[in-house]
Amino acid sequence: MHTISGDDAVDELADAVTSLVRAWRGAGRRVPNATHSTLALLQLAGLLDEGEHRVGEIAELRGVDQSVVSRQIGELAARGLACRRPDPSDRRAGLVSLTPAGHALVERTRSLKRDLVRSALERSDAGDVHTVARLVVALAEEIDARAGDLAALS
């Protein structure tokens, strides 16, 4: 394995990731019939699509404050996309889940983004796509780990 020594390759990859994130966010804002759904709300809905969660669990998984999650859940609930109920094991806590309309929004969004990515990659070799996917996942994991190390030092 070769070590990256020059800044050019690092800067090029960082710029490429930034461009990809910007394009991905832009695509999330253009989901038809979901103009009210920001990327953050779509991400939250995607997490809730996996099952019912406590607000604190969601905040921890997303790395944000509980107040942010509570506000976003309120927005989803106001649009009929999520609902809350008391946690039967601890009545002080609440559980949040998606409504059928919320599940439908998540599925529609995933399908549209999958189609968008598929069409954007139609000229790419499948092996290259898998290699890039593994690289991006490894990069994200390393950045998360190193950012945690930086936070511990400060």
Side-chain angles (χ1 to χ4, degrees), residues 60-136:
E60 188 175 320
L61 287 168
R62 295 184 64 214
V64 297
D65 190 75
Q66 283 190 21
S67 64
V68 172
V69 173
S70 290
R71 182 182 48 77
Q72 291 174 340
I73 289 168
E75 290 180 45
L76 289 174
R79 292 180 174 94
L81 301 171
C83 58
R84 300 176 198 223
R85 71 178 182 95
D87 184 341
S89 65
D90 180 356
R91 292 297 213 188
R92 297 167 298 167
L95 295 172
V96 182
S97 60
L98 288 182
T99 63
H103 286 290
L105 174 64
V106 169
E107 186 49 43
R108 187 171 70 248
T109 302
R110 281 186 184 142
S111 178
L112 288 168
K113 284 188 170 185
R114 188 180 305 116
D115 290 346
L116 180 63
V117 172
R118 183 181 292 117
S119 67
L121 292 172
E122 63 189 13
R123 294 182 307 224
S124 300
D125 176 71
D128 291 344
V129 171
H130 288 292
T131 299
V132 170
R134 286 190 301 272
L135 174 64
V136 170

Side-chain angles (χ1 to χ4, degrees), residues 22-45:
R22 188 177 300 118
W24 194 250
R25 284 182 176 156
R29 287 189 296 269
R30 294 184 195 108
V31 174
N33 303 317
T35 54
H36 60 277
S37 299
T38 65
L39 181 63
L41 290 179
L42 291 173
Q43 289 172 332
L44 174 58

